[in-house]
């Protein structure tokens, strides 16, 4: 029965996937964008105006089951592509072993998690989203096609946000705009992602109409950033864009320029650190952010490190720190603010709290590996694909964003999904570069072998005889040169003399 079903599927379905695999992958990417941009909004409807934090949490809790169901359906829809592109998926996995090891450590943490059942469900959700992302990258290696889908979806969400902004709806209790998103910080994350994508798309435009349209979408994403009131995303954008352009320019110039760029960024970071030391951390933070506590983050971080000290090496287990019941680690405090939140507002502290210091050590090579890959690309390659700059900017944005917000390993968070996309796309770009370099070296060796091949001399051809003198036969042994060179006339006279002698003897 199984063989019959497989043959039937192979006849009617799998050949179509071979022909339309990238089209199917585009549809899968569209569905993923709907999930991470609009998932809670679609399943729960529009949030009422002036909602409180408790109302938003109740809405999220009621829609959690539907969001998980959407993730499962998305995973099931990706199974055909996983089968048809299994070799490409294995290649991506082999080239991202550090990420696989880190995810394996998160799975292993279920054994010592505070709530193993909750940890298991959350790690399954994370695994589903990671599998879908890897499948999309394997089935749609064209970065331009990938960006077209994301641009279309982000543009649609921007139109929806602007329409709600014009109608004056979807605001939180502080009057900050959240649009079709569940929180102002999620709206800010979407605005940051959209701004990065549309900014780089302007430089990839080929006609004036495209330039004007993309500038308009970039302006809309800036508006969403401002009205959402997300200080983190708004402060990151002017930092991310120059860094990404700087790195891309250095890649085009070569490895030495990239070293200079890294050195310049290191010097800049050192100068900022020196300014913080001279001015004082509290005063510096007050000057930049207007609040020395970073909107209460310093209190949260102090509490987090006190709980990390209770299990420093292994952590509390993936997904077992926040929202795991009244006896959970996040509830063991006298503060009235910390029990009502679901993140540490620092992704790296959350990684330490859940996976311990072992987890943060395993995270370091995941972050460093793209830098090494880009450094190797800059060694010999001069023509850098403009699309790579988008993924560099998204990766830098995700890493900086997690300093004051938590999105690392949060399954349906848009910032985590696009950080993962950036890691995988850079690794694919590095693989293509290596294959191209190997082909180039093979061509060079082939040319060298042709040039250095020795010329073998063959037997000399016999000289042609002139047509007036036909070739002579071999000279019989014992015959003198006079007999060999006798003329035809002398030979005929001797024959007549011999004939006369025979006649005379007969008489």
């Amino acid at each position: 029965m199984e063989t019959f079903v497989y043959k039937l599927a192979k006849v009617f379905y799998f050949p179509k996937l071979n022909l339309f695999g990238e089209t199917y992958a585009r549809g899968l990417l569209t569905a993923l964008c709907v999930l991470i941009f609009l998932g809670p909004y679609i399943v729960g409807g529009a949030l009422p105006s002036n909602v409180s934090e408790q109302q938003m949490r109740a809405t999220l809790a009621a829609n959690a089951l539907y969001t998980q169901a959407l993730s499962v359906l998305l995973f099931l829809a990706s199974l055909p592509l996983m089968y048809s592109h299994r070799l490409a998926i294995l290649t991506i996995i082999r080239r991202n072993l550090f990420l696989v090891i880190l995810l394996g450590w998160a799975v292993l943490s279920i054994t010592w998690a505070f709530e193993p059942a909750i940890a298991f469900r959350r790690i399954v959700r994370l695994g589903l989203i990671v599998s879908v992302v890897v499948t999309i990258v394997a089935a749609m290696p064209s970065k331009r096609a990938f960006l077209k889908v994301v641009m279309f979806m982000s543009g649609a969400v921007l139109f929806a946000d602007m329409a709600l902004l014009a109608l004056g709806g979807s605001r939180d209790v502080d009057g900050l705009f959240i649009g079709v998103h569940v929180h102002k910080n999620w709206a800010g994350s979407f605005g940051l992602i959209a701004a990065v994508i549309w900014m780089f798309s302007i430089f990839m435009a080929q006609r004036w109409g495209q330039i004007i349209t993309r500038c308009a979408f970039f302006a809309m994403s800036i508006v969403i950033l401002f009205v959402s009131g997300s200080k983190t995303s708004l402060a990151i954008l002017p930092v991310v864009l120059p860094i990404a352009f700087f790195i891309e320019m250095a890649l085009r110039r070569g490895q030495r320029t990239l070293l200079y760029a890294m050195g310049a960024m290191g010097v800049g970071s050192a100068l900022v650190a020196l300014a913080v030391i001279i001015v004082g951390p509290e005063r510096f933070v007050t000057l930049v952010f207007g609040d020395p506590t970073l909107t209460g983050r310093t209190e949260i971080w102090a509490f987090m490190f006190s709980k990390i000290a209770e299990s420093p090496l292994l952590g509390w287990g993936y997904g077992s720190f926040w929202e795991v019941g009244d006896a959970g680690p996040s509830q063991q405090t006298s503060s009235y603010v910390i029990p009502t939140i679901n993140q540490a507002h620092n992704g790296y502290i959350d990684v330490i709290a859940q996976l311990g210091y072992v987890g943060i050590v395993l995270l370091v090579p995941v972050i460093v590996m793209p830098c090494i890959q880009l450094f190797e690309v800059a060694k010999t390659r001069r023509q850098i694909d403009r699309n790579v700059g988008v993924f560099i900017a998204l990766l830098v944005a995700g890493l900086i964003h997690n300093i004051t917000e938590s999105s690392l390993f949060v399954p349906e968070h848009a910032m985590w999904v696009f950080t993962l996309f950036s890691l995988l796309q850079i690794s694919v770009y590095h693989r293509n570069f290596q294959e191209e370099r190997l082909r180039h070296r093979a061509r060079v060796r082939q040319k060298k072998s042709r040039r250095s091949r020795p010329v073998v001399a063959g037997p000399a051809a016999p000289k042609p005889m002139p047509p007036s003198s036909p070739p002579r036969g071999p000279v019989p042994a014992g015959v003198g040169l006079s007999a060999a060179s006798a003329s035809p006339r002398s030979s005929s006279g001797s024959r007549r003399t011999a004939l006369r002698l025979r006649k005379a003897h007969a008489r």
Side-chain angles (χ1 to χ4, degrees):
M1 184 64 184
E2 293 180 359
T3 305
F4 174 75
V5 173
Y6 174 76
K7 288 182 178 179
L8 190 66
K10 187 176 181 180
V11 169
F12 289 98
Y13 196 59
F14 290 126
K16 295 182 180 180
L17 285 181
N18 293 333
L19 293 175
F20 307 106
E22 186 169 332
T23 303
Y24 190 86
R26 292 186 183 187
L28 196 64
L29 177 59
T30 302
L32 179 62
C33 289
V34 170
L35 176 63
I36 62 177
F37 290 157
L38 303 172
Y41 186 87
I42 289 176
V43 298
L47 294 175
S49 300
N50 300 324
V51 295
S52 64
E53 191 79 17
Q54 289 76 14
Q55 287 175 312
M56 277 190 288
R57 294 195 181 286
T59 303
L60 289 176
N63 297 333
L65 180 61
Y66 298 102
T67 305
Q68 294 173 12
L70 289 175
S71 302
V72 172
L73 290 176
L74 197 60
F75 174 77
L76 294 176
S78 66
L79 288 178
L81 282 181
M82 289 184 188
Y83 176 81
S84 60
H85 294 80
R86 56 192 180 276
L87 296 180
I89 291 174
L90 290 176
T91 302
I92 292 175
I93 291 174
R94 285 196 298 267
R95 300 191 67 86
N96 293 273
L97 285 179
F98 291 114
L99 179 61
V100 174
I101 293 171
L102 180 57
L103 293 174
W105 179 255
V107 174
L108 188 62
S109 69
I110 297 175
T111 58
W112 64 80
F114 182 80
E115 285 289 344
I118 297 177
F120 176 76
R121 290 198 299 268
R122 292 176 178 176
I123 200 67
V124 167
R125 286 172 55 195
L126 177 64
L128 295 178
I129 296 299
V130 172
S131 302
V132 172
V133 169
V134 173
T135 304
I136 291 173
V137 174
M140 193 167 54
S142 173
K143 293 180 285 296
R144 185 175 294 274
F146 175 89
L147 291 175
K148 283 183 178 179
V149 175
V150 177
M151 287 165 59
F152 175 79
M153 291 305 301
S154 62
V157 176
L158 284 173
F159 271 125
D161 281 337
M162 295 301 292
L164 287 175
L165 180 63
L167 295 174
S170 289
R171 296 180 179 272
D172 61 9
V173 67
D174 297 323
L176 297 175
F177 181 74
I178 59 177
V180 296
H181 313 280
V182 297
H183 194 273
K184 69 179 184 65
N185 290 333
W186 286 59
S189 300
F190 166 74
L192 176 61
I193 293 170
V196 169
I197 292 173
W198 285 105
M199 181 66 186
F200 274 88
S201 70
I202 295 172
F203 296 94
M204 292 184 285
Q206 299 177 353
R207 295 186 296 272
W208 279 107
Q210 292 180 346
I211 294 175
I212 295 173
T213 303
R214 295 176 182 185
C215 286
F217 279 106
F218 176 71
M220 284 193 287
S221 61
I222 297 297
V223 171
I224 297 301
L225 273 176
F226 271 101
V227 297
S228 67
S230 179
K231 297 179 181 178
T232 299
S233 301
L234 191 60
I236 287 174
L237 184 63
V239 177
V240 167
L241 293 180
I243 290 177
F245 281 117
F246 199 33
I247 293 176
E248 186 184 4
M249 181 189 67
L251 285 174
R252 294 177 182 275
R253 296 282 183 173
Q255 197 174 38
R256 182 177 297 179
T257 308
L258 184 60
L259 280 174
Y260 292 156
M262 291 181 177
M265 286 188 288
V267 172
S269 301
L271 291 177
V272 172
L274 183 62
V276 172
I277 294 173
I278 293 175
V279 177
E282 244 181 72
R283 189 176 176 187
F284 180 83
V285 172
T286 305
L287 290 174
V288 175
F289 297 98
D291 183 3
T293 65
L294 291 174
T295 323
R297 285 175 172 82
T298 54
E299 179 187 356
I300 300 172
W301 295 344
F303 166 75
M304 291 296 297
F305 280 109
S306 68
K307 302 305 293 183
I308 288 171
E310 298 180 14
S311 182
L313 192 62
L314 303 179
W316 293 85
Y318 175 79
S320 296
F321 192 91
W322 302 100
E323 297 180 332
V324 289
D326 295 335
S330 62
Q331 304 294 320
Q332 299 172 10
T333 176
S334 58
S335 173
Y336 67 92
V337 176
I338 294 176
T340 62
I341 62 177
N342 59 356
Q343 59 163 313
H345 286 281
N346 185 295
Y348 308 103
I349 296 178
D350 264 329
V351 170
I352 299 173
Q354 298 179 74
L355 304 178
Y357 284 104
V358 175
I360 199 68
V361 169
L362 294 176
L363 179 64
V364 172
V366 176
I367 298 173
V368 173
M369 186 54 64
C371 303
I372 298 175
Q373 292 170 346
L374 292 174
F375 187 74
E376 186 176 355
V377 170
K379 187 183 299 182
T380 55
R381 192 182 182 97
R382 298 294 181 179
Q383 297 297 326
I384 302 297
D385 191 356
R386 173 70 70 177
N387 300 318
V388 178
V390 181
F391 297 106
I392 295 173
L394 289 173
L395 180 60
V396 173
L399 296 177
I400 298 178
H401 183 268
N402 275 277
I403 295 177
T404 57
E405 298 292 338
S406 294
S407 62
L408 290 175
F409 305 108
V410 178
E412 291 87 11
H413 200 293
M415 189 59 70
W416 157 246
V417 171
F418 279 94
T419 301
L420 185 59
F421 268 126
S422 302
L423 288 171
L424 299 180
Q425 289 283 8
I426 291 174
S427 68
V428 170
Y429 183 70
H430 178 253
R431 182 201 64 187
N432 296 338
F433 161 73
Q434 286 184 325
E435 292 178 353
E436 181 183 347
R437 186 172 61 179
L438 289 176
R439 288 194 296 266
H440 175 71
R441 288 179 178 178
R443 290 192 296 265
V444 170
R445 285 196 300 268
Q446 189 176 6
K447 289 181 180 179
K448 287 183 178 180
S449 63
R450 288 177 180 176
R451 292 176 182 175
S452 60
R453 183 180 300 169
V455 179
V456 180
K463 293 182 179 180
M465 298 296 292
S468 59
S469 57
R472 296 174 181 175
V475 180
V479 178
L481 291 177
S482 58
S485 59
S487 61
R489 185 176 180 179
S490 60
S491 61
S492 62
S494 63
R495 286 196 297 272
R496 284 195 297 269
T497 303
L499 180 60
R500 284 197 299 267
L501 290 174
R502 283 196 298 272
K503 286 180 180 181
H505 182 70
R507 292 190 191 102

